[in-house]
Amino acid sequence: MKKLILGIAIVASAFVFGQKKDANALNAQLQEANKVAMDAYNAKNYAAAAPKFIEVYDLLKANGQDNKIYMYYAGLSHALANNSDQSIKIYTDLVNSGFTGVETTYTAKEKKTGQVVNLDKATWELMKKNSDYTDFKTEQTKSIEPDLYETLASLLLNAKKPEALTIIEKGLAKFPNNAKLKEAQTTAYLQSGNTDKFVSGLKEQLAKNPNDPTNWYNLGVMQAKTPATVNDAIESFKKAIDLKPDFSDAYQNLVYTTIGDDAKVVGEINALRKDKPDEASKLIDARRERFAKALPYAEGWYKANPKSLDAVSALKEIYVVTKNMDKVKEMKAKEAELTAAGAK
């Protein structure tokens, strides 16, 4: 989430309210509310900043200025304060209103002092007739509409709201090449149980950016669920590790995917030992071969996450099956050490 840049003073308000009897009091109230909001934000007191930004917005709106940028600031502050429901409501209202955050600033230079001053549009137009001013310029700020969609999508996904996909697809209709929304769409497919579209989305993203280890990992997770694509899953996990050598979860999945359903195999071996020892021996040999293939992945997992009790236990079991008793002893000691330390 982007950091909020707070440097906006309500200078123009004094001009807008200049004809009102209580203009000075109102402008002072606006300035004070804005200062409290900015100070709270800069102090990372986001929960306090949010309502003050809403107060600034309400004061301006009550006097004819519907400046939704302050609601954007409020929504962002709520998001940073983990007040997701409030943030979602504000961001949804902003998106549905078509708010883009584009603002036009109007400036002119005082000939006498050389100082550049900010003006509201009406005053800027009037000042053009004043020979004491020159260098009349306008400048537009960048649209924040993509950021609105991205942040709202993230908030909805984190809250597991079903409307996330609707918002994401609405955003992609406006910004079809937005990579963050594409990624969010893929996640939304997974949350909604549409695994086919989830996998298609991952493959589409990887076609555009084959150097994303997380997407290779996620693709591997989905491929590992189907026996026909287990080998594809192994290759996907390997690519994830090639791109991110310390990717602990990818190593872990490589180990378990390579070994397969070991409890089932052990059950079959035990059932065959007495009456069909030759067949049991074949299963034992095949099991040992799978564990040998998994060994370098388990060692990589342990290297990437040496404090993982699961990594140590898995590596110990592999050493047992591959009959490396010195290493079994070493892993047992490490297992005891981690267990005593409360590792998981």
Side-chain angles (χ1 to χ4, degrees):
M1 191 177 290
K2 293 181 180 179
K3 183 179 178 181
L4 179 58
I5 306 299
L6 296 175
I8 298 176
I10 313 176
V11 177
S13 302
F15 293 106
V16 174
F17 304 133
Q19 301 302 316
K20 298 195 176 186
K21 187 164 59 176
D22 58 347
N24 289 336
L26 177 59
N27 195 56
Q29 189 177 359
L30 281 164
Q31 296 283 1
E32 176 61 20
N34 189 49
K35 181 179 185 302
V36 172
M38 290 192 294
D39 287 348
Y41 184 90
N42 290 330
K44 298 185 178 181
N45 188 355
Y46 306 119
K52 296 306 291 187
F53 282 126
I54 293 174
E55 181 183 337
V56 173
Y57 170 77
D58 288 341
L59 285 168
L60 288 169
K61 188 176 182 181
N63 287 273
Q65 292 188 57
D66 188 9
N67 194 341
K68 288 186 172 64
I69 192 69
Y70 290 99
M71 289 306 295
Y72 167 67
Y73 294 162
L76 182 55
S77 296
H78 273 312
L80 292 169
N82 294 318
N83 298 327
S84 61
D85 287 345
Q86 296 94 319
S87 186
I88 286 170
K89 185 182 184 307
I90 291 173
Y91 272 87
T92 300
D93 290 343
L94 290 172
V95 163
N96 290 337
S97 73
F99 174 68
T100 65
V102 174
E103 290 189 325
T104 303
T105 57
Y106 300 86
T107 61
K109 182 186 288 186
E110 291 182 343
K111 287 183 178 178
K112 186 175 181 180
T113 64
Q115 181 180 356
V116 175
V117 294
N118 292 305
L119 306 168
D120 66 275
K121 185 178 181 182
T123 305
W124 186 76
E125 293 288 355
L126 287 173
M127 288 295 188
K128 285 183 177 179
K129 301 174 183 178
N130 189 330
S131 60
D132 292 334
Y133 289 85
T134 185
D135 288 352
F136 290 88
K137 294 179 180 179
T138 63
E139 185 176 339
Q140 277 196 331
T141 59
K142 186 179 178 182
S143 172
I144 60 171
E145 194 172 15
D147 177 76
L148 287 175
Y149 277 100
E150 291 168 11
T151 305
L152 179 55
S154 178
L155 289 167
L156 290 169
L157 288 172
N158 288 340
K160 293 183 167 44
K161 300 283 187 180
E163 57 267 35
L165 189 56
T166 301
I167 288 293
I168 292 165
E169 290 179 342
K170 182 178 178 180
L172 284 172
K174 286 193 168 190
F175 311 104
N177 297 318
N178 187 295
K180 289 184 179 179
L181 287 178
K182 275 288 187 183
E183 183 177 344
Q185 183 186 45
T186 302
T187 304
Y189 284 143
L190 180 62
Q191 282 192 4
S192 64
N194 196 332
T195 54
D196 289 342
K197 284 192 174 181
F198 175 62
V199 171
S200 295
L202 286 174
K203 289 180 177 179
E204 181 182 340
Q205 290 178 56
L206 286 168
K208 293 178 181 178
N209 178 19
N211 296 321
D212 187 328
T214 301
N215 280 341
W216 279 115
Y217 170 78
N218 288 334
L219 180 59
V221 169
M222 300 309 297
Q223 291 168 330
K225 294 177 183 291
T226 305
T229 55
V230 164
N231 289 334
D232 294 330
I234 290 172
E235 292 307 312
S236 294
F237 291 135
K238 285 180 179 178
K239 286 177 181 177
I241 288 168
D242 286 342
L243 294 165
K244 186 180 177 183
D246 62 347
F247 203 153
S248 176
D249 288 347
Y251 279 113
Q252 179 176 355
N253 279 22
L254 255 179
V255 171
Y256 293 135
T257 304
T258 302
I259 290 173
D261 189 347
D262 192 53
K264 179 182 177 182
V265 172
V266 170
E268 292 172 352
I269 291 171
N270 290 335
L272 292 169
R273 280 185 188 276
K274 185 176 179 180
D275 298 325
K276 298 180 180 179
D278 290 343
E279 291 185 27
S281 294
K282 289 179 182 178
L283 290 179
I284 291 170
D285 290 341
R287 179 176 184 250
R288 186 176 294 117
E289 183 178 344
R290 286 193 299 274
F291 272 69
K293 284 183 179 179
L295 177 58
Y297 310 140
E299 290 175 335
W301 180 13
Y302 175 57
K303 182 178 179 181
N305 192 0
K307 294 185 179 181
S308 167
L309 187 57
D310 286 340
V312 172
S313 297
L315 189 52
K316 181 193 72 176
E317 183 63 22
I318 291 172
Y319 285 138
V320 169
V321 174
T322 57
K323 300 186 182 300
N324 189 335
M325 301 317 293
D326 288 340
K327 286 292 186 180
V328 170
K329 184 178 179 181
E330 179 184 331
M331 289 301 106
K332 278 186 176 180
K334 188 66 178 178
E335 196 175 45
E337 176 189 329
L338 291 174
T339 301
K344 296 180 180 180

